[in-house]
Amino acid sequence: MERRYVAFSSILLNAKNNHGRLNSKVLVLNQNYEPMSVCNVKKAIVLLFRGKAEIVEASHGKVLRSVSLTMPFPSVVRLFVYIRVPYKKIILSRKNILRRDAHKCQYCGRSDMSLTVDHVMPRSRGGEDVWENLVCACVTCNNRKGDRTPEEARMTLTRTPSKPNHVTFIKHVVGTVDERWRPYLFMN
């Protein structure tokens, strides 16, 4: 056990000296391969050495080395024990609508202008404050649409608004998604 700990410490020290590779992102899957979260390489190595996870996908050509051990650089790890994650309701907020829509106007696709939240069905016509009725819109498109529906204003939505799930926000937290993560984030 002590020899394993020495190898573990050596890997962490070597990785720390290797231009911040410990801060690379690793996708953490539950036992049933459901995406749970994203952590850094250091946390993933701790999970691996403590016997709580296994490497599912490794970064090709990258390894972590110690004096007595070489380990593939993790990209996706899976927990050995199923963790019951309590249902987390995603709060309807301006910030979360902008995140869901990737900070792009859902009418013209621009992201270089001030953004607002638009009601697809105007509130004056019974439109509610729900995920399916709110979209991110630039000020120009929001003013052009006014108090009309997109059809009446002859504007089309780039995609139909829907309630996001936690996987959507994992994608936004990370930014560019590693190609090895795509099958686990349902992005085929």
Side-chain angles (χ1 to χ4, degrees):
M1 179 69 175
E2 187 171 316
R3 186 173 187 215
R4 189 173 176 200
Y5 177 75
V6 170
F8 169 66
S9 299
S10 179
I11 280 182
L12 289 180
L13 285 173
N14 288 339
K16 191 180 286 184
N17 295 331
N18 204 344
H19 305 295
R21 285 176 33 175
L22 278 180
N23 291 328
S24 298
K25 302 293 183 201
V26 177
L27 178 64
V28 179
L29 305 175
N30 211 338
Q31 184 188 28
N32 63 355
Y33 290 89
E34 177 185 21
M36 282 184 58
S37 65
V38 175
C39 70
N40 61 25
V41 172
K42 184 176 179 179
K43 175 71 174 171
I45 292 170
V46 170
L47 289 171
L48 294 167
F49 270 94
R50 294 188 77 201
K52 296 183 181 248
E54 67 178 339
I55 294 177
V56 176
E57 298 280 343
S59 296
H60 300 293
K62 293 182 183 178
V63 293
L64 298 168
R65 299 181 198 280
S66 75
V67 174
S68 61
L69 185 66
T70 300
M71 169 188 274
F73 198 84
S75 177
V76 179
V77 297
R78 181 182 74 96
L79 300 175
F80 284 127
V81 177
Y82 180 80
I83 304 295
R84 187 184 175 292
V85 181
Y87 176 74
K88 291 183 181 177
K89 183 178 179 185
I90 299 174
I91 297 169
L92 178 65
S93 67
R94 180 181 189 278
K95 178 181 172 183
N96 284 340
I97 291 167
L98 295 175
R99 285 173 63 190
R100 178 199 64 190
D101 294 342
H103 296 276
K104 290 184 180 177
C105 175
Q106 295 301 292
Y107 296 108
C108 67
R110 293 182 66 178
S111 60
D112 60 341
M113 298 180 69
S114 295
L115 298 171
T116 63
V117 174
D118 179 50
H119 287 78
V120 178
M121 175 59 72
R123 287 188 353 197
S124 62
R125 296 189 185 184
E128 299 179 46
D129 289 337
V130 293
W131 287 104
E132 295 78 10
N133 192 46
L134 297 169
V135 294
C136 180
C138 67
V139 174
T140 305
C141 288
N142 200 351
N143 287 336
R144 189 174 134 215
K145 180 179 167 281
D147 198 22
R148 301 177 287 178
T149 65
E151 293 79 26
E152 292 170 348
R154 294 193 179 122
M155 299 170 74
T156 57
L157 287 166
T158 56
R159 67 178 177 183
T160 305
S162 62
K163 184 176 182 176
N165 59 25
H166 72 284
V167 174
T168 305
F169 289 129
I170 286 175
K171 294 175 201 172
H172 290 295
V173 167
V174 175
T176 57
V177 176
D178 185 334
E179 285 299 314
R180 289 174 289 278
W181 295 15
R182 293 179 96 58
Y184 307 103
L185 296 177
F186 315 109
M187 297 175 64
N188 290 340

